[in-house]
Amino acid sequence: DAKTTQPPSMDCAEGRAANLPCNHSTISGNEYVYWYRQIHSQGPQYIIHGLKNNETNEMASLIITEDRKSSTLILPHATLRDTAVYYCIVNNYGQNFVFGPGTRLSVLP
Amino acid sequence: NAGVTQTPKFQVLKTGQSMTLQCAQDMNHEYMSWYRQDPGMGLRLIHYSVGAGITDQGEVPNGYNVSRSTTEDFPLRLLSAAPSQTSVYFCATRKVNNSPLHFGNGTRLTVT
């Protein structure tokens, strides 16, 4: 079973920030938080990952709480092309990635 | 650098036929895996490999065989296709550390 909990769906207005939450209250000290997204039936696309510090790349920012029990993926200026299913996964090498149902993000014009 | 390449992109089989889905990677990743995704559902792990000569079962291995004779290739074999195996199949790879999983573009399989 997936070790994360995400809302099943969210809406966001185009041009606004999309904040996608993820709960991972049972995360262990050496597990990373990964975010992926899947557009239509394409292969899942890696977005970002982190251990305990906040991370930022050209696609998004990842904010991990100090107790590491939850995180938020931030898309700073959502576009229609960001409409997708977003998956939050906790993983340490030696484990397999377990995908839950994710959050279906709809970016509205 | 092609990344993860899956062939074919589409395949239609009749019940009882056999086929092999191909996965090749040029990133020298030790870990390779196969997932299936049914309509409206998440990805489920079929088989995985942590290196050449080593394979193991995932969540839904029944009806599928794998082998890993080289680092680059990880074929998935359906010995006797069933309609329940109609799905989209994804191959994914990663290096031996806390690095992201890289996915191919998938093979859409229909069994009639």
PDB file of all heavy atoms in Angstrom, chain B residues 66-101:
ATOM      1  N   VAL B  66      10.087 -12.511 -16.634  1.00  0.00           N
ATOM      2  CA  VAL B  66      11.133 -11.557 -16.994  1.00  0.00           C
ATOM      3  C   VAL B  66      12.482 -12.255 -16.897  1.00  0.00           C
ATOM      4  O   VAL B  66      12.623 -13.287 -16.248  1.00  0.00           O
ATOM      5  CB  VAL B  66      11.143 -10.313 -16.085  1.00  0.00           C
ATOM      6  CG1 VAL B  66       9.915  -9.449 -16.291  1.00  0.00           C
ATOM      7  CG2 VAL B  66      11.293 -10.713 -14.621  1.00  0.00           C
ATOM      8  N   SER B  67      13.461 -11.635 -17.542  1.00  0.00           N
ATOM      9  CA  SER B  67      14.850 -12.047 -17.414  1.00  0.00           C
ATOM     10  C   SER B  67      15.717 -10.808 -17.563  1.00  0.00           C
ATOM     11  O   SER B  67      15.283  -9.796 -18.120  1.00  0.00           O
ATOM     12  CB  SER B  67      15.218 -13.096 -18.465  1.00  0.00           C
ATOM     13  OG  SER B  67      15.032 -12.557 -19.763  1.00  0.00           O
ATOM     14  N   ARG B  68      16.933 -10.868 -17.057  1.00  0.00           N
ATOM     15  CA  ARG B  68      17.846  -9.718 -17.154  1.00  0.00           C
ATOM     16  C   ARG B  68      19.241 -10.259 -17.457  1.00  0.00           C
ATOM     17  O   ARG B  68      20.045 -10.499 -16.557  1.00  0.00           O
ATOM     18  CB  ARG B  68      17.851  -8.942 -15.825  1.00  0.00           C
ATOM     19  CG  ARG B  68      18.696  -7.670 -15.867  1.00  0.00           C
ATOM     20  CD  ARG B  68      17.893  -6.468 -16.233  1.00  0.00           C
ATOM     21  NE  ARG B  68      18.700  -5.255 -16.279  1.00  0.00           N
ATOM     22  CZ  ARG B  68      18.921  -4.467 -15.216  1.00  0.00           C
ATOM     23  NH1 ARG B  68      18.396  -4.770 -14.046  1.00  0.00           N
ATOM     24  NH2 ARG B  68      19.668  -3.394 -15.347  1.00  0.00           N
ATOM     25  N   SER B  69      19.501 -10.442 -18.736  1.00  0.00           N
ATOM     26  CA  SER B  69      20.803 -10.982 -19.137  1.00  0.00           C
ATOM     27  C   SER B  69      21.825  -9.873 -19.352  1.00  0.00           C
ATOM     28  O   SER B  69      23.039 -10.128 -19.296  1.00  0.00           O
ATOM     29  CB  SER B  69      20.672 -11.835 -20.397  1.00  0.00           C
ATOM     30  OG  SER B  69      20.083 -11.080 -21.429  1.00  0.00           O
ATOM     31  N   THR B  70      21.383  -8.656 -19.573  1.00  0.00           N
ATOM     32  CA  THR B  70      22.295  -7.519 -19.739  1.00  0.00           C
ATOM     33  C   THR B  70      21.805  -6.359 -18.879  1.00  0.00           C
ATOM     34  O   THR B  70      20.644  -6.329 -18.451  1.00  0.00           O
ATOM     35  CB  THR B  70      22.369  -7.039 -21.197  1.00  0.00           C
ATOM     36  OG1 THR B  70      21.097  -6.476 -21.566  1.00  0.00           O
ATOM     37  CG2 THR B  70      22.719  -8.173 -22.149  1.00  0.00           C
ATOM     38  N   THR B  71      22.678  -5.394 -18.645  1.00  0.00           N
ATOM     39  CA  THR B  71      22.269  -4.199 -17.909  1.00  0.00           C
ATOM     40  C   THR B  71      21.229  -3.406 -18.678  1.00  0.00           C
ATOM     41  O   THR B  71      20.324  -2.812 -18.102  1.00  0.00           O
ATOM     42  CB  THR B  71      23.485  -3.301 -17.622  1.00  0.00           C
ATOM     43  OG1 THR B  71      24.428  -4.031 -16.842  1.00  0.00           O
ATOM     44  CG2 THR B  71      23.096  -2.033 -16.879  1.00  0.00           C
ATOM     45  N   GLU B  72      21.329  -3.413 -20.018  1.00  0.00           N
ATOM     46  CA  GLU B  72      20.524  -2.521 -20.842  1.00  0.00           C
ATOM     47  C   GLU B  72      19.080  -2.990 -21.074  1.00  0.00           C
ATOM     48  O   GLU B  72      18.205  -2.182 -21.324  1.00  0.00           O
ATOM     49  CB  GLU B  72      21.184  -2.339 -22.210  1.00  0.00           C
ATOM     50  CG  GLU B  72      22.537  -1.637 -22.183  1.00  0.00           C
ATOM     51  CD  GLU B  72      23.674  -2.550 -21.742  1.00  0.00           C
ATOM     52  OE1 GLU B  72      23.508  -3.792 -21.796  1.00  0.00           O
ATOM     53  OE2 GLU B  72      24.726  -2.019 -21.325  1.00  0.00           O
ATOM     54  N   ASP B  73      18.834  -4.287 -21.042  1.00  0.00           N
ATOM     55  CA  ASP B  73      17.547  -4.801 -21.500  1.00  0.00           C
ATOM     56  C   ASP B  73      16.806  -5.551 -20.406  1.00  0.00           C
ATOM     57  O   ASP B  73      17.405  -6.310 -19.633  1.00  0.00           O
ATOM     58  CB  ASP B  73      17.760  -5.735 -22.700  1.00  0.00           C
ATOM     59  CG  ASP B  73      18.418  -5.019 -23.862  1.00  0.00           C
ATOM     60  OD1 ASP B  73      17.785  -4.105 -24.410  1.00  0.00           O
ATOM     61  OD2 ASP B  73      19.564  -5.367 -24.194  1.00  0.00           O
ATOM     62  N   PHE B  74      15.483  -5.386 -20.405  1.00  0.00           N
ATOM     63  CA  PHE B  74      14.648  -6.062 -19.401  1.00  0.00           C
ATOM     64  C   PHE B  74      13.321  -6.408 -20.066  1.00  0.00           C
ATOM     65  O   PHE B  74      12.307  -5.726 -19.896  1.00  0.00           O
ATOM     66  CB  PHE B  74      14.447  -5.142 -18.203  1.00  0.00           C
ATOM     67  CG  PHE B  74      13.812  -5.806 -17.005  1.00  0.00           C
ATOM     68  CD1 PHE B  74      14.231  -7.052 -16.559  1.00  0.00           C
ATOM     69  CD2 PHE B  74      12.817  -5.153 -16.279  1.00  0.00           C
ATOM     70  CE1 PHE B  74      13.666  -7.648 -15.447  1.00  0.00           C
ATOM     71  CE2 PHE B  74      12.248  -5.739 -15.155  1.00  0.00           C
ATOM     72  CZ  PHE B  74      12.675  -6.988 -14.747  1.00  0.00           C
ATOM     73  N   PRO B  75      13.259  -7.497 -20.836  1.00  0.00           N
ATOM     74  CA  PRO B  75      12.023  -7.852 -21.536  1.00  0.00           C
ATOM     75  C   PRO B  75      10.979  -8.472 -20.607  1.00  0.00           C
ATOM     76  O   PRO B  75      11.321  -9.180 -19.640  1.00  0.00           O
ATOM     77  CB  PRO B  75      12.498  -8.875 -22.576  1.00  0.00           C
ATOM     78  CG  PRO B  75      13.752  -9.460 -21.987  1.00  0.00           C
ATOM     79  CD  PRO B  75      14.392  -8.358 -21.200  1.00  0.00           C
ATOM     80  N   LEU B  76       9.721  -8.200 -20.938  1.00  0.00           N
ATOM     81  CA  LEU B  76       8.586  -8.749 -20.191  1.00  0.00           C
ATOM     82  C   LEU B  76       7.837  -9.704 -21.120  1.00  0.00           C
ATOM     83  O   LEU B  76       7.400  -9.306 -22.199  1.00  0.00           O
ATOM     84  CB  LEU B  76       7.652  -7.627 -19.740  1.00  0.00           C
ATOM     85  CG  LEU B  76       6.400  -8.051 -18.977  1.00  0.00           C
ATOM     86  CD1 LEU B  76       6.754  -8.522 -17.572  1.00  0.00           C
ATOM     87  CD2 LEU B  76       5.396  -6.891 -18.908  1.00  0.00           C
ATOM     88  N   ARG B  77       7.679 -10.948 -20.701  1.00  0.00           N
ATOM     89  CA  ARG B  77       7.057 -11.968 -21.541  1.00  0.00           C
ATOM     90  C   ARG B  77       5.670 -12.344 -21.023  1.00  0.00           C
ATOM     91  O   ARG B  77       5.492 -12.599 -19.831  1.00  0.00           O
ATOM     92  CB  ARG B  77       7.931 -13.221 -21.608  1.00  0.00           C
ATOM     93  CG  ARG B  77       9.292 -12.984 -22.221  1.00  0.00           C
ATOM     94  CD  ARG B  77      10.091 -14.267 -22.354  1.00  0.00           C
ATOM     95  NE  ARG B  77      11.432 -13.993 -22.864  1.00  0.00           N
ATOM     96  CZ  ARG B  77      12.463 -13.630 -22.104  1.00  0.00           C
ATOM     97  NH1 ARG B  77      12.302 -13.534 -20.792  1.00  0.00           N
ATOM     98  NH2 ARG B  77      13.637 -13.385 -22.637  1.00  0.00           N
ATOM     99  N   LEU B  78       4.723 -12.365 -21.952  1.00  0.00           N
ATOM    100  CA  LEU B  78       3.397 -12.906 -21.680  1.00  0.00           C
ATOM    101  C   LEU B  78       3.343 -14.256 -22.387  1.00  0.00           C
ATOM    102  O   LEU B  78       3.415 -14.318 -23.617  1.00  0.00           O
ATOM    103  CB  LEU B  78       2.299 -12.002 -22.210  1.00  0.00           C
ATOM    104  CG  LEU B  78       1.989 -10.716 -21.450  1.00  0.00           C
ATOM    105  CD1 LEU B  78       3.099  -9.695 -21.571  1.00  0.00           C
ATOM    106  CD2 LEU B  78       0.658 -10.143 -21.924  1.00  0.00           C
ATOM    107  N   LEU B  79       3.250 -15.341 -21.651  1.00  0.00           N
ATOM    108  CA  LEU B  79       3.325 -16.669 -22.243  1.00  0.00           C
ATOM    109  C   LEU B  79       2.005 -17.086 -22.875  1.00  0.00           C
ATOM    110  O   LEU B  79       1.992 -17.767 -23.902  1.00  0.00           O
ATOM    111  CB  LEU B  79       3.753 -17.681 -21.189  1.00  0.00           C
ATOM    112  CG  LEU B  79       5.148 -17.463 -20.600  1.00  0.00           C
ATOM    113  CD1 LEU B  79       5.460 -18.520 -19.560  1.00  0.00           C
ATOM    114  CD2 LEU B  79       6.199 -17.456 -21.700  1.00  0.00           C
ATOM    115  N   SER B  80       0.892 -16.686 -22.267  1.00  0.00           N
ATOM    116  CA  SER B  80      -0.432 -17.026 -22.781  1.00  0.00           C
ATOM    117  C   SER B  80      -1.369 -15.873 -22.408  1.00  0.00           C
ATOM    118  O   SER B  80      -1.907 -15.839 -21.303  1.00  0.00           O
ATOM    119  CB  SER B  80      -0.924 -18.341 -22.178  1.00  0.00           C
ATOM    120  OG  SER B  80      -2.214 -18.670 -22.662  1.00  0.00           O
ATOM    121  N   ALA B  81      -1.513 -14.938 -23.343  1.00  0.00           N
ATOM    122  CA  ALA B  81      -2.229 -13.704 -23.021  1.00  0.00           C
ATOM    123  C   ALA B  81      -3.686 -13.951 -22.657  1.00  0.00           C
ATOM    124  O   ALA B  81      -4.358 -14.822 -23.240  1.00  0.00           O
ATOM    125  CB  ALA B  81      -2.140 -12.742 -24.199  1.00  0.00           C
ATOM    126  N   ALA B  82      -4.170 -13.160 -21.710  1.00  0.00           N
ATOM    127  CA  ALA B  82      -5.564 -13.213 -21.270  1.00  0.00           C
ATOM    128  C   ALA B  82      -6.153 -11.806 -21.341  1.00  0.00           C
ATOM    129  O   ALA B  82      -5.413 -10.821 -21.212  1.00  0.00           O
ATOM    130  CB  ALA B  82      -5.639 -13.742 -19.837  1.00  0.00           C
ATOM    131  N   PRO B  83      -7.474 -11.698 -21.541  1.00  0.00           N
ATOM    132  CA  PRO B  83      -8.096 -10.366 -21.596  1.00  0.00           C
ATOM    133  C   PRO B  83      -7.808  -9.514 -20.368  1.00  0.00           C
ATOM    134  O   PRO B  83      -7.741  -8.282 -20.477  1.00  0.00           O
ATOM    135  CB  PRO B  83      -9.592 -10.692 -21.722  1.00  0.00           C
ATOM    136  CG  PRO B  83      -9.613 -12.019 -22.415  1.00  0.00           C
ATOM    137  CD  PRO B  83      -8.432 -12.777 -21.865  1.00  0.00           C
ATOM    138  N   SER B  84      -7.585 -10.147 -19.218  1.00  0.00           N
ATOM    139  CA  SER B  84      -7.274  -9.393 -17.996  1.00  0.00           C
ATOM    140  C   SER B  84      -5.914  -8.696 -18.069  1.00  0.00           C
ATOM    141  O   SER B  84      -5.606  -7.851 -17.214  1.00  0.00           O
ATOM    142  CB  SER B  84      -7.298 -10.327 -16.781  1.00  0.00           C
ATOM    143  OG  SER B  84      -6.316 -11.347 -16.935  1.00  0.00           O
ATOM    144  N   GLN B  85      -5.116  -9.037 -19.054  1.00  0.00           N
ATOM    145  CA  GLN B  85      -3.808  -8.410 -19.221  1.00  0.00           C
ATOM    146  C   GLN B  85      -3.864  -7.200 -20.167  1.00  0.00           C
ATOM    147  O   GLN B  85      -2.836  -6.582 -20.442  1.00  0.00           O
ATOM    148  CB  GLN B  85      -2.770  -9.416 -19.713  1.00  0.00           C
ATOM    149  CG  GLN B  85      -2.485 -10.498 -18.682  1.00  0.00           C
ATOM    150  CD  GLN B  85      -1.508 -11.553 -19.169  1.00  0.00           C
ATOM    151  OE1 GLN B  85      -1.724 -12.182 -20.205  1.00  0.00           O
ATOM    152  NE2 GLN B  85      -0.436 -11.752 -18.410  1.00  0.00           N
ATOM    153  N   THR B  86      -5.052  -6.863 -20.616  1.00  0.00           N
ATOM    154  CA  THR B  86      -5.241  -5.627 -21.367  1.00  0.00           C
ATOM    155  C   THR B  86      -4.905  -4.465 -20.453  1.00  0.00           C
ATOM    156  O   THR B  86      -5.520  -4.308 -19.393  1.00  0.00           O
ATOM    157  CB  THR B  86      -6.685  -5.512 -21.874  1.00  0.00           C
ATOM    158  OG1 THR B  86      -6.905  -6.533 -22.851  1.00  0.00           O
ATOM    159  CG2 THR B  86      -6.939  -4.140 -22.491  1.00  0.00           C
ATOM    160  N   SER B  87      -3.911  -3.663 -20.854  1.00  0.00           N
ATOM    161  CA  SER B  87      -3.429  -2.617 -19.966  1.00  0.00           C
ATOM    162  C   SER B  87      -2.380  -1.787 -20.713  1.00  0.00           C
ATOM    163  O   SER B  87      -2.028  -2.079 -21.853  1.00  0.00           O
ATOM    164  CB  SER B  87      -2.796  -3.249 -18.715  1.00  0.00           C
ATOM    165  OG  SER B  87      -2.535  -2.272 -17.719  1.00  0.00           O
ATOM    166  N   VAL B  88      -1.899  -0.747 -20.037  1.00  0.00           N
ATOM    167  CA  VAL B  88      -0.732  -0.006 -20.522  1.00  0.00           C
ATOM    168  C   VAL B  88       0.445  -0.414 -19.649  1.00  0.00           C
ATOM    169  O   VAL B  88       0.340  -0.388 -18.408  1.00  0.00           O
ATOM    170  CB  VAL B  88      -0.945   1.509 -20.471  1.00  0.00           C
ATOM    171  CG1 VAL B  88       0.288   2.233 -21.018  1.00  0.00           C
ATOM    172  CG2 VAL B  88      -2.180   1.910 -21.262  1.00  0.00           C
ATOM    173  N   TYR B  89       1.535  -0.784 -20.284  1.00  0.00           N
ATOM    174  CA  TYR B  89       2.707  -1.281 -19.571  1.00  0.00           C
ATOM    175  C   TYR B  89       3.838  -0.261 -19.652  1.00  0.00           C
ATOM    176  O   TYR B  89       4.165   0.237 -20.725  1.00  0.00           O
ATOM    177  CB  TYR B  89       3.160  -2.618 -20.178  1.00  0.00           C
ATOM    178  CG  TYR B  89       2.174  -3.721 -19.923  1.00  0.00           C
ATOM    179  CD1 TYR B  89       1.070  -3.904 -20.740  1.00  0.00           C
ATOM    180  CD2 TYR B  89       2.335  -4.565 -18.825  1.00  0.00           C
ATOM    181  CE1 TYR B  89       0.143  -4.900 -20.486  1.00  0.00           C
ATOM    182  CE2 TYR B  89       1.420  -5.574 -18.562  1.00  0.00           C
ATOM    183  CZ  TYR B  89       0.328  -5.730 -19.394  1.00  0.00           C
ATOM    184  OH  TYR B  89      -0.591  -6.726 -19.134  1.00  0.00           O
ATOM    185  N   PHE B  90       4.399   0.037 -18.486  1.00  0.00           N
ATOM    186  CA  PHE B  90       5.492   0.990 -18.408  1.00  0.00           C
ATOM    187  C   PHE B  90       6.741   0.322 -17.842  1.00  0.00           C
ATOM    188  O   PHE B  90       6.675  -0.399 -16.839  1.00  0.00           O
ATOM    189  CB  PHE B  90       5.138   2.170 -17.502  1.00  0.00           C
ATOM    190  CG  PHE B  90       4.067   3.065 -18.045  1.00  0.00           C
ATOM    191  CD1 PHE B  90       2.773   2.983 -17.560  1.00  0.00           C
ATOM    192  CD2 PHE B  90       4.352   3.988 -19.036  1.00  0.00           C
ATOM    193  CE1 PHE B  90       1.779   3.805 -18.063  1.00  0.00           C
ATOM    194  CE2 PHE B  90       3.372   4.817 -19.545  1.00  0.00           C
ATOM    195  CZ  PHE B  90       2.070   4.715 -19.061  1.00  0.00           C
ATOM    196  N   CYS B  91       7.855   0.617 -18.476  1.00  0.00           N
ATOM    197  CA  CYS B  91       9.160   0.219 -17.969  1.00  0.00           C
ATOM    198  C   CYS B  91       9.779   1.423 -17.277  1.00  0.00           C
ATOM    199  O   CYS B  91       9.637   2.566 -17.734  1.00  0.00           O
ATOM    200  CB  CYS B  91      10.055  -0.253 -19.119  1.00  0.00           C
ATOM    201  SG  CYS B  91      11.717  -0.751 -18.630  1.00  0.00           S
ATOM    202  N   ALA B  92      10.454   1.185 -16.149  1.00  0.00           N
ATOM    203  CA  ALA B  92      11.061   2.284 -15.397  1.00  0.00           C
ATOM    204  C   ALA B  92      12.413   1.849 -14.860  1.00  0.00           C
ATOM    205  O   ALA B  92      12.590   0.694 -14.458  1.00  0.00           O
ATOM    206  CB  ALA B  92      10.147   2.719 -14.257  1.00  0.00           C
ATOM    207  N   THR B  93      13.361   2.778 -14.816  1.00  0.00           N
ATOM    208  CA  THR B  93      14.726   2.456 -14.383  1.00  0.00           C
ATOM    209  C   THR B  93      15.256   3.522 -13.435  1.00  0.00           C
ATOM    210  O   THR B  93      14.765   4.652 -13.405  1.00  0.00           O
ATOM    211  CB  THR B  93      15.673   2.374 -15.602  1.00  0.00           C
ATOM    212  OG1 THR B  93      15.967   3.694 -16.085  1.00  0.00           O
ATOM    213  CG2 THR B  93      15.070   1.576 -16.738  1.00  0.00           C
ATOM    214  N   ARG B  94      16.256   3.145 -12.640  1.00  0.00           N
ATOM    215  CA  ARG B  94      16.937   4.112 -11.774  1.00  0.00           C
ATOM    216  C   ARG B  94      18.332   3.604 -11.440  1.00  0.00           C
ATOM    217  O   ARG B  94      18.628   2.416 -11.594  1.00  0.00           O
ATOM    218  CB  ARG B  94      16.151   4.361 -10.484  1.00  0.00           C
ATOM    219  CG  ARG B  94      16.218   3.220  -9.513  1.00  0.00           C
ATOM    220  CD  ARG B  94      15.339   3.385  -8.296  1.00  0.00           C
ATOM    221  NE  ARG B  94      15.588   4.564  -7.492  1.00  0.00           N
ATOM    222  CZ  ARG B  94      15.156   4.701  -6.245  1.00  0.00           C
ATOM    223  NH1 ARG B  94      14.466   3.741  -5.658  1.00  0.00           N
ATOM    224  NH2 ARG B  94      15.387   5.816  -5.568  1.00  0.00           N
ATOM    225  N   LYS B  95      19.163   4.521 -10.978  1.00  0.00           N
ATOM    226  CA  LYS B  95      20.507   4.130 -10.538  1.00  0.00           C
ATOM    227  C   LYS B  95      20.441   3.570  -9.124  1.00  0.00           C
ATOM    228  O   LYS B  95      19.426   3.634  -8.450  1.00  0.00           O
ATOM    229  CB  LYS B  95      21.440   5.337 -10.574  1.00  0.00           C
ATOM    230  CG  LYS B  95      21.854   5.751 -11.966  1.00  0.00           C
ATOM    231  CD  LYS B  95      23.015   6.709 -11.961  1.00  0.00           C
ATOM    232  CE  LYS B  95      24.296   6.046 -11.521  1.00  0.00           C
ATOM    233  NZ  LYS B  95      24.713   4.940 -12.421  1.00  0.00           N
ATOM    234  N   VAL B  96      21.559   3.010  -8.675  1.00  0.00           N
ATOM    235  CA  VAL B  96      21.603   2.387  -7.355  1.00  0.00           C
ATOM    236  C   VAL B  96      21.917   3.446  -6.304  1.00  0.00           C
ATOM    237  O   VAL B  96      22.989   3.504  -5.739  1.00  0.00           O
ATOM    238  CB  VAL B  96      22.655   1.262  -7.298  1.00  0.00           C
ATOM    239  CG1 VAL B  96      22.603   0.577  -5.931  1.00  0.00           C
ATOM    240  CG2 VAL B  96      22.427   0.258  -8.398  1.00  0.00           C
ATOM    241  N   ASN B  97      20.992   4.358  -6.095  1.00  0.00           N
ATOM    242  CA  ASN B  97      21.069   5.334  -5.011  1.00  0.00           C
ATOM    243  C   ASN B  97      19.708   6.015  -4.930  1.00  0.00           C
ATOM    244  O   ASN B  97      18.776   5.617  -5.618  1.00  0.00           O
ATOM    245  CB  ASN B  97      22.193   6.347  -5.234  1.00  0.00           C
ATOM    246  CG  ASN B  97      22.047   7.105  -6.543  1.00  0.00           C
ATOM    247  OD1 ASN B  97      20.956   7.230  -7.079  1.00  0.00           O
ATOM    248  ND2 ASN B  97      23.146   7.603  -7.033  1.00  0.00           N
ATOM    249  N   ASN B  98      19.590   7.015  -4.141  1.00  0.00           N
ATOM    250  CA  ASN B  98      18.298   7.697  -4.024  1.00  0.00           C
ATOM    251  C   ASN B  98      18.112   8.680  -5.174  1.00  0.00           C
ATOM    252  O   ASN B  98      18.183   9.889  -5.004  1.00  0.00           O
ATOM    253  CB  ASN B  98      18.205   8.388  -2.667  1.00  0.00           C
ATOM    254  CG  ASN B  98      17.950   7.378  -1.578  1.00  0.00           C
ATOM    255  OD1 ASN B  98      16.954   6.660  -1.618  1.00  0.00           O
ATOM    256  ND2 ASN B  98      18.845   7.291  -0.610  1.00  0.00           N
ATOM    257  N   SER B  99      17.903   8.127  -6.337  1.00  0.00           N
ATOM    258  CA  SER B  99      17.709   8.924  -7.536  1.00  0.00           C
ATOM    259  C   SER B  99      16.321   8.637  -8.098  1.00  0.00           C
ATOM    260  O   SER B  99      15.689   7.640  -7.735  1.00  0.00           O
ATOM    261  CB  SER B  99      18.785   8.592  -8.570  1.00  0.00           C
ATOM    262  OG  SER B  99      18.681   7.237  -8.941  1.00  0.00           O
ATOM    263  N   PRO B 100      15.828   9.511  -8.956  1.00  0.00           N
ATOM    264  CA  PRO B 100      14.468   9.323  -9.475  1.00  0.00           C
ATOM    265  C   PRO B 100      14.334   8.092 -10.361  1.00  0.00           C
ATOM    266  O   PRO B 100      15.304   7.603 -10.937  1.00  0.00           O
ATOM    267  CB  PRO B 100      14.226  10.598 -10.291  1.00  0.00           C
ATOM    268  CG  PRO B 100      15.226  11.569  -9.822  1.00  0.00           C
ATOM    269  CD  PRO B 100      16.420  10.783  -9.398  1.00  0.00           C
ATOM    270  N   LEU B 101      13.109   7.640 -10.487  1.00  0.00           N
ATOM    271  CA  LEU B 101      12.739   6.569 -11.398  1.00  0.00           C
ATOM    272  C   LEU B 101      12.418   7.225 -12.745  1.00  0.00           C
ATOM    273  O   LEU B 101      11.678   8.214 -12.793  1.00  0.00           O
ATOM    274  CB  LEU B 101      11.500   5.861 -10.839  1.00  0.00           C
ATOM    275  CG  LEU B 101      11.145   4.462 -11.253  1.00  0.00           C
ATOM    276  CD1 LEU B 101      12.263   3.492 -10.971  1.00  0.00           C
ATOM    277  CD2 LEU B 101       9.869   4.028 -10.550  1.00  0.00           C
TER     278      LEU B 101
END
